């Protein structure tokens, strides 16, 4: 073999890597996604021979799968019409509401069609066992329908008692439907408890099934992250708590018990939560077990309180960028005080700038984060934002009483957000989430009180102390930050 041939075969893998990487880099550029994510993916392509292309094919594009995309196209118009029709007969009084609430209402209504509905009764529940006990009490009273949707169902403790209540409800004739994420609930779905519930007649559906073969056709990290319970179509729970007993969940992670918030809802907003569940169920079952106009378990609601609530579902397919726009608008609407709690804090440039700008214009911005996180990647990506935020005057509180998992935002003590959305790009763009936008002073007061309880259990991060951290920590933070658009 000649030297020229030997040289060609020696360098051909390198040439092929560059050709492949440049081809996919061009594809990424033409997708016109945000610049941070584009540069991050191009870097992955060029720096990781062949592996970068493989990772991109698995995780780089919003591939929902042909069947799922087809089903969503079939559902999106009828479900949006149904949601929009919910506002008929309800009169929203914006007299005492802040201007920002009106802007958010208009933005959400135009982006995804969900209206603000008056007449809701809201109860903020901040104790894990107390939440599960309340759910059990409501399940024991249910007569017709019980719908549940969670990212994680984990065996152990009071969670097992919830399952017993579900099985008993089914045995007395209640229609029971449970939708669980394939990845988050994989252990439960394989468990004897799940088999026993199915044998009793409980309909348990695995959402977004994951696997090596499926990765060829659909992106595997698009997850169902909502937490919803619906009882007889008139009572609902939603928030950040998975169906887990915190005393038995991830006790070997070294972060303490998880700390969550849930909201018990009665009133017209329950209809939107029910519609959200039904849309998810319809996609997973292709409508085989539910008819949009029959057997839905959704009943017309009477006023139960005085809270105005806008339920905002988000996620790829139905509402791809609604929550992102609403989060930005929420931050920019703050005039005096902005308090955020989130377990995973990896904002993109726009959200990061919005927080710094709020602090610079005199808003007291406080971000409450768990002192210890169960993801080291997120931990270091999050810390890479601290320097500039602290310099801008943002207060960063590190919660020491467990892994603070509550996802909340309060603005000027006037309105607030509670739901399942984390302050990271995965939650904003990739996961199916749900958030309550609450325009009610009394409920906001309750949430602000709870946020201040979290602050009392936290230690404020001082800029002078943070500047003294080891140099190797800074290097690692900045390296991991390069991948933050992908987290």
């Amino acid at each position: 073999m000649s030297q020229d041939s030997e040289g060609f075969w020696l360098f051909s893998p390198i040439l092929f890597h560059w050709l492949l990487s440049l081809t996919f880099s061009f594809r990424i550029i033409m997708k016109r996604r945000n610049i941070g994510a584009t540069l991050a993916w191009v870097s992955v392509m060029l720096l990781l021979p062949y592996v970068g292309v493989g990772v991109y094919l698995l995780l780089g594009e919003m591939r929902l799968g042909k069947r799922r995309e087809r089903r969503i196209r079939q559902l999106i118009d009828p479900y949006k019409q149904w949601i929009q029709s919910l506002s008929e007969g309800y009169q929203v009084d914006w007299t005492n509401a802040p201007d920002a609430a009106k802007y958010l209402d208009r933005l959400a209504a135009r982006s995804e069609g969900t209206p603000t509905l008056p007449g809701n009764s809201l109860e903020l529940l901040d104790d894990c066992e107390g939440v599960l006990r309340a759910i059990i009490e409501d399940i024991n009273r249910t007569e017709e329908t019980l719908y549940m949707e969670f990212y994680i169902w984990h065996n152990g403790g009071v969670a097992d008692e919830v399952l017993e209540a579900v099985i008993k409800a089914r045995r007395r004739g209640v229609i029971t439907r449970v939708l669980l994420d394939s990845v988050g609930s994989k252990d439960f779905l394989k468990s004897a408890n799940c088999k026993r519930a199915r044998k009793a007649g409980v309909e348990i559906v695995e959402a977004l099934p994951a696997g090596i073969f499926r990765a060829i056709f659909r992106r595997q990290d698009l997850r169902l992250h909502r937490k919803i319970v619906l009882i007889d179509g008139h009572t609902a729970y939603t928030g950040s708590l998975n169906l887990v007993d915190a005393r038995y969940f991830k006790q070997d992670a070294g972060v303490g018990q998880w700390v969550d918030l849930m909201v018990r809802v009665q009133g017209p907003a329950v209809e939107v939560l029910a519609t959200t569940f039904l849309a998810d169920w319809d996609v997973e079952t292709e409508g085989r077990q539910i008819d949009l106009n029959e057997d839905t378990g959704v009943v017309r609601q009477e006023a139960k309180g005085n809270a105005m609530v806008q339920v905002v579902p988000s996620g790829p397919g139905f509402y791809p960028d609604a929550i992102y726009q609403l989060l930005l608008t929420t931050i920019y609407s703050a005039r005096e005080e902005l308090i955020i709690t989130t377990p995973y804090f990896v904002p993109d440039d726009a959200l990061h700038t919005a927080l710094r700008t709020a602090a610079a214009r005199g808003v007291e911005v406080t971000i409450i984060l768990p002192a210890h996180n169960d993801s080291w990647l997120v931990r270091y990506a999050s810390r890479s934002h601290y320097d500039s935020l602290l310099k801008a005057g943002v207060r960063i509180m590190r919660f020491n009483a467990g892994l603070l998992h509550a996802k909340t935002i309060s603005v000027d003590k006037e309105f607030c957000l509670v739901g399942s959305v984390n302050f990271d790009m995965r939650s904003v763009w990739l996961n199916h989430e749900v958030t309550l936008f609450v325009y009610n002073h009394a409920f906001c007061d309750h949430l602000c009180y709870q946020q201040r309880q979290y602050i009392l259990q936290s230690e404020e991060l001082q800029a002078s102390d943070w500047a003294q951290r080891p140099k190797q920590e800074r290097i690692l933070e900045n390296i991991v930050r390069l991948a933050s658009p992908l987290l």
Side-chain angles (χ1 to χ4, degrees):
M1 183 180 292
S2 67
Q3 287 186 342
D4 289 342
S5 292
E6 289 180 358
F8 172 78
W9 288 111
L10 180 63
F11 288 103
S12 58
I14 299 174
L15 293 173
F16 185 68
H17 155 63
W18 281 100
L19 179 62
L20 198 64
S21 298
L22 290 173
T23 300
F24 274 91
S25 294
F26 181 74
R27 179 183 177 89
I28 294 166
I29 291 169
M30 295 307 294
K31 291 287 183 182
R32 294 178 63 84
R33 63 182 78 192
N34 72 74
I35 294 174
T38 298
L39 291 176
W41 275 119
V42 170
S43 299
V44 168
M45 291 289 171
L46 298 178
L47 296 176
L48 298 177
Y50 300 107
V51 175
V53 174
V55 172
Y56 177 75
L57 289 173
L58 287 174
L59 305 175
E61 296 187 359
M62 201 68 70
R63 294 179 295 119
L64 300 176
K66 290 185 178 180
R67 181 193 65 79
R68 184 174 298 276
E69 289 177 351
R70 182 179 65 252
R71 188 62 184 153
I72 288 174
R73 285 196 299 270
Q74 294 170 347
L75 290 172
I76 193 164
D77 287 337
Y79 269 100
K80 280 192 173 184
Q81 290 171 11
W82 190 12
I83 288 175
Q84 289 169 353
S85 73
L86 298 179
S87 61
E88 297 174 5
Y90 296 117
Q91 186 65 40
V92 180
D93 182 5
W94 293 102
T95 304
N96 297 317
D99 290 338
K102 302 173 192 176
Y103 300 144
L104 287 165
D105 165 74
R106 194 176 308 153
L107 176 58
R110 289 184 177 180
S111 62
E112 58 177 41
T114 58
T116 296
L117 298 173
N120 297 282
S121 171
L122 305 178
E123 182 181 0
L124 189 66
L125 304 171
D126 64 341
D127 171 65
C128 172
E129 183 176 354
V131 172
L132 297 179
R133 297 285 179 199
I135 290 173
I136 290 171
E137 287 183 17
D138 280 324
I139 291 175
N140 288 338
R141 287 193 290 265
T142 190
E143 298 176 349
E144 297 180 357
T145 59
L146 171 62
Y147 300 154
M148 307 179 77
E149 178 174 11
F150 284 96
Y151 175 60
I152 299 173
W153 191 310
H154 184 267
N155 291 315
V158 185
D160 290 349
E161 296 180 40
V162 174
L163 185 64
E164 292 302 320
V166 172
I167 292 173
K168 288 178 182 177
R170 179 67 196 113
R171 285 174 176 163
R172 64 177 183 267
V174 175
I175 298 171
T176 52
R177 294 178 171 128
V178 180
L179 190 61
L180 301 175
D181 183 79
S182 174
V183 174
S185 298
K186 65 180 184 300
D187 292 338
F188 174 82
L189 290 165
K190 297 175 183 177
S191 71
N193 274 347
C194 181
K195 292 176 183 177
R196 188 164 57 86
R198 282 173 166 161
K199 188 175 180 180
V202 178
E203 300 174 62
I204 301 177
V205 170
E206 181 180 355
L208 295 160
I212 296 174
F213 179 74
R214 287 188 172 93
I216 300 172
F217 305 101
R218 181 176 58 79
R219 183 167 174 170
Q220 296 296 284
D221 62 337
L222 307 179
R223 305 315 326 156
L224 182 71
H225 200 241
R226 307 194 226 272
K227 294 88 174 159
I228 299 175
V229 178
L230 294 152
I231 294 151
D232 279 344
H234 61 64
T235 300
Y237 292 80
T238 193
S240 68
L241 179 67
N242 288 292
L243 209 297
V244 305
D245 186 327
R247 297 170 300 172
Y248 295 83
F249 182 62
K250 289 193 174 183
Q251 289 302 295
D252 58 350
V255 296
Q257 290 189 16
W258 291 38
V259 178
D260 283 283
L261 285 179
M262 291 290 272
V263 183
R264 186 177 186 269
V265 185
Q266 290 186 306
V270 173
E271 295 184 62
V272 186
L273 288 167
T275 305
T276 302
F277 170 87
L278 292 172
D280 292 335
W281 184 273
D282 231 343
V283 169
E284 296 301 331
T285 63
E286 296 195 12
R288 292 191 304 271
Q289 301 174 47
I290 277 188
D291 185 283
L292 185 60
N293 299 307
E294 300 177 3
D295 186 35
T296 61
V298 180
V299 295
R300 196 65 176 172
Q301 302 292 314
E302 297 180 355
K304 298 290 186 179
N306 56 10
M308 298 191 303
V309 178
Q310 192 164 27
V311 180
V312 178
S314 57
F318 280 106
Y319 318 109
D321 62 352
I323 195 64
Y324 182 70
Q325 296 177 15
L326 288 163
L327 285 175
L328 280 170
T329 304
T330 297
I331 295 170
Y332 278 113
S333 70
R335 294 293 175 266
E336 296 179 4
E337 181 183 67
L338 178 71
I339 304 177
I340 298 171
T341 70
T342 180
Y344 308 113
F345 178 75
V346 190
D348 71 349
D349 289 343
L351 289 168
H352 181 95
T353 300
L355 292 170
R356 291 173 56 216
T357 302
R361 67 174 185 267
V363 177
E364 185 177 332
V365 181
T366 304
I367 303 172
I368 312 170
L369 308 171
H372 304 287
N373 198 289
D374 63 332
S375 169
W376 77 268
L377 270 176
V378 171
R379 180 165 66 250
Y380 282 101
S382 178
R383 291 177 179 180
S384 71
H385 293 273
Y386 291 178
D387 279 319
S388 55
L389 290 172
L390 290 168
K391 288 177 183 177
V394 175
R395 297 176 68 208
I396 298 176
M397 309 299 298
R398 304 175 78 175
F399 183 78
N400 291 309
L403 194 149
L404 182 60
H405 194 244
K407 304 98 168 18
T408 70
I409 301 178
S410 65
V411 181
D412 297 338
K413 300 184 181 69
E414 293 183 329
F415 70 92
C416 57
L417 285 62
V418 183
S420 65
V421 177
N422 296 312
F423 214 90
D424 63 16
M425 294 305 96
R426 172 167 302 283
S427 198
V428 168
W429 294 109
L430 302 181
N431 289 341
H432 298 271
E433 310 277 8
V434 65
T435 304
L436 301 182
F437 283 68
V438 182
Y439 312 123
N440 177 265
H441 285 281
F443 182 82
C444 194
D445 283 344
H446 287 308
L447 179 65
C448 288
Y449 173 81
Q450 187 58 50
Q451 289 176 325
R452 282 175 170 75
Q453 296 308 300
Y454 295 149
I455 290 174
L456 291 175
Q457 300 175 77
S458 304
E459 180 181 356
E460 183 171 358
L461 184 63
Q462 301 295 332
S464 56
D465 295 335
W466 185 243
Q468 302 302 314
R469 69 193 186 284
K471 188 174 182 179
Q472 60 268 27
E473 293 283 306
R474 298 170 183 245
I475 294 172
L476 185 56
E477 290 162 8
N478 290 327
I479 291 173
V480 174
R481 182 169 183 169
L482 295 175
S484 62
L486 314 181
L487 297 178

